[in-house]
Amino acid sequence: MNTEQQLRDAVAHLAETAPPPPTWEGLHQRLASADAAPRPRSGPAIILAVIAVTLVGAITVRATSDGTERVDVTSSNTLAPTTASRPPAGSSLGEPPQAIITTGTMTVTLPSRNYCWQGAGLFRCASGPHDPQTLRLRGGARLNLEFTTTEPFTKLSANLLQEPHPGFDLEVDRDGSITIPTGTPPGSYRFIVHGTWSQVNSASYQLTVEVTD
Amino acid sequence: MVGEADAEIYQQHAAELTRFASGLVGPTDAADLVSDAVLNALSSPAWPGVSNHRAYLYRAVLNAARARARRDERRRDREHRMVLSEPHGHAHLLLASVDDRDDVIRAALNLSPRQRAVIYLAYWEDITPAASAALLGISEGAIRRHLARARRHLRRTLDEH
């Protein structure tokens, strides 16, 4: 086989193995999010700010007598409102990202030893990479997972494994995202974000998303 | 603000843009590349005045691929400066996602984004250099040069194996 034919075959292979195109709905949501809240991207104290166009919740933060800040989350999501506490700024666990409640959106800032996520009316902070979290999501809702890092990294090619479906790699430069689309069948989906940072070596963060009927 | 007309334009070209992106960066990253490119295009102040949406979106995908290649290059530089054990960067990850035995695919994915675009249009879309030039917004002479260099590079690479 000559080079021309080999080249034609190679290009055909790449074209034929192309994935399905992104959905318009997903693009539209990203556009709306960008319009609502442009994300700052510089400085060590950068805070990820993602506000979905479907924003229906509100969040207030107030100091409490035990020195923590209490985060009250209210939402018109179908799940009940909930409450979570986070450590005060400057604690040994560090400052979690600012909580901005969005419906159907989760953010994880890496590689904080503790990290927080929010979505479906919930806001929680995990104590570390070995504290896997679970998010329950009612079927039909859209969940957008977004990851960002502002810390110096030595190797940041985070792998995002989706189970039970075959895993795939999500190369992350400074941030990355994946969407669980509307209509995803009920079941348990586990996401593992693995990365290597200079100050924490490598760490894996686990999030199980349980999609219910 | 995007509207129904934009949705129709996107739906009309989404599949071919994703195939084009796969030809540029491989199937693993193709959807992400299309997302970034389309979002940039729709957010551009120039978008409402665009007459040839197909060409504009193809160029947006190519520009996104070039930006990604530059970003990967910077990252490789950073990693090298830090004397790390992973010197291969994005190209290595990209190549690992395809069949390791397929030297042609690997060689094609090591071309520059513009060379990959020209190769894709010539060998998959089967369009003339003039049509490729119109689509990508570069001269026909440049298309022919990219094509010749890409073929030369591929032959040399394959001869080495």
Side-chain angles (χ1 to χ4, degrees):
Chain A
M1 191 186 299
N2 62 32
T3 307
E4 293 284 305
Q5 188 57 47
Q6 284 181 309
L7 190 51
R8 190 173 291 278
D9 289 347
V11 172
H13 173 81
L14 289 172
E16 287 166 355
T17 56
T23 63
W24 172 253
E25 188 183 7
L27 290 175
H28 191 265
Q29 187 180 18
R30 281 185 61 185
L31 266 176
S33 299
D35 286 345
R39 287 184 289 176
R41 285 177 176 270
S42 62
I46 189 171
I47 297 173
L48 177 68
V50 178
I51 300 177
V53 69
T54 52
L55 177 66
V56 292
I59 187 167
T60 55
V61 179
R62 62 175 184 270
T64 58
S65 57
D66 61 1
T68 64
E69 288 177 329
R70 184 161 299 282
V71 180
D72 297 328
V73 177
T74 59
S75 170
S76 61
N77 191 282
T78 50
L79 295 180
T82 188
T83 300
S85 293
R86 67 180 185 187
S91 74
S92 59
L93 291 178
E95 177 68 18
Q98 183 179 6
I100 297 176
I101 184 65
T102 61
T103 298
T105 296
M106 190 203 82
T107 60
V108 177
T109 296
L110 304 172
S112 302
R113 289 185 184 280
N114 68 318
Y115 65 99
C116 302
W117 54 268
Q118 62 267 344
L122 302 175
F123 174 79
R124 282 181 184 159
C125 291
S127 62
H130 303 293
D131 183 12
Q133 295 289 297
T134 299
L135 172 63
R136 290 183 178 82
L137 187 72
R138 204 176 280 273
R142 171 180 291 277
L143 175 68
N144 185 45
L145 308 178
E146 294 201 15
F147 313 93
T148 186
T149 183
T150 59
E151 303 295 332
F153 55 86
T154 56
K155 178 185 176 186
L156 189 60
S157 53
N159 300 314
L160 180 64
L161 305 177
Q162 183 182 1
E163 296 176 347
H165 299 306
F168 59 93
D169 292 340
L170 175 71
E171 190 179 358
V172 177
D173 185 6
R174 289 180 70 89
D175 58 9
S177 67
I178 185 157
T179 299
I180 300 178
T182 302
T184 297
S188 184
Y189 300 85
R190 190 157 65 104
F191 295 89
I192 303 170
V193 185
H194 181 84
T196 303
W197 293 268
S198 56
Q199 73 278 43
V200 293
N201 295 317
S202 68
S204 291
Y205 300 81
Q206 290 186 39
L207 174 73
T208 299
V209 178
E210 292 183 353
V211 180
T212 62
D213 284 323
Chain B
M1 192 62 190
V2 297
E4 286 183 17
D6 298 316
E8 279 183 27
I9 291 167
Y10 173 71
Q11 302 286 8
Q12 188 180 349
H13 301 298
E16 63 174 329
L17 288 173
T18 309
R19 284 195 298 272
F20 180 51
S22 184
L24 295 180
V25 298
T28 304
D29 292 333
D32 280 347
L33 191 72
V34 170
S35 291
D36 292 346
V38 172
L39 290 176
N40 283 337
L42 295 179
S43 305
S44 167
W47 177 253
V50 170
S51 55
N52 187 342
H53 294 107
R54 181 171 182 258
Y56 193 89
L57 290 171
Y58 263 82
R59 291 172 206 172
V61 171
L62 175 57
N63 288 337
R66 297 177 73 197
R68 180 176 289 221
R70 287 193 294 271
R71 192 181 63 199
D72 292 342
E73 187 63 34
R74 285 197 297 272
R75 182 171 54 197
R76 280 196 293 275
D77 288 345
R78 280 198 304 269
E79 289 178 350
H80 279 124
R81 282 200 298 274
M82 295 173 78
V83 198
L84 296 174
S85 59
E86 180 60 64
H88 305 295
H90 178 65
H92 172 71
L93 295 173
L94 180 63
L95 299 183
S97 67
V98 298
D99 189 342
D100 285 337
R101 294 167 299 183
D102 198 329
D103 293 335
V104 186
I105 291 176
R106 289 199 284 181
L109 289 174
N110 268 330
L111 298 171
S112 74
R114 270 196 172 162
Q115 288 173 339
R116 279 179 248 164
V118 169
I119 288 285
Y120 173 86
L121 294 173
Y123 288 95
W124 175 258
E125 299 282 355
D126 275 330
I127 62 176
T128 64
S132 293
L135 194 62
L136 299 181
I138 54 181
S139 72
E140 189 176 338
I143 294 285
R144 293 184 188 279
R145 280 195 298 278
H146 284 308
L147 205 48
R149 284 178 191 157
R151 286 174 177 146
R152 210 161 44 233
H153 176 84
L154 286 168
R155 285 197 194 97
R156 196 167 54 237
T157 304
L158 294 174
D159 286 346
E160 288 170 359
H161 284 76

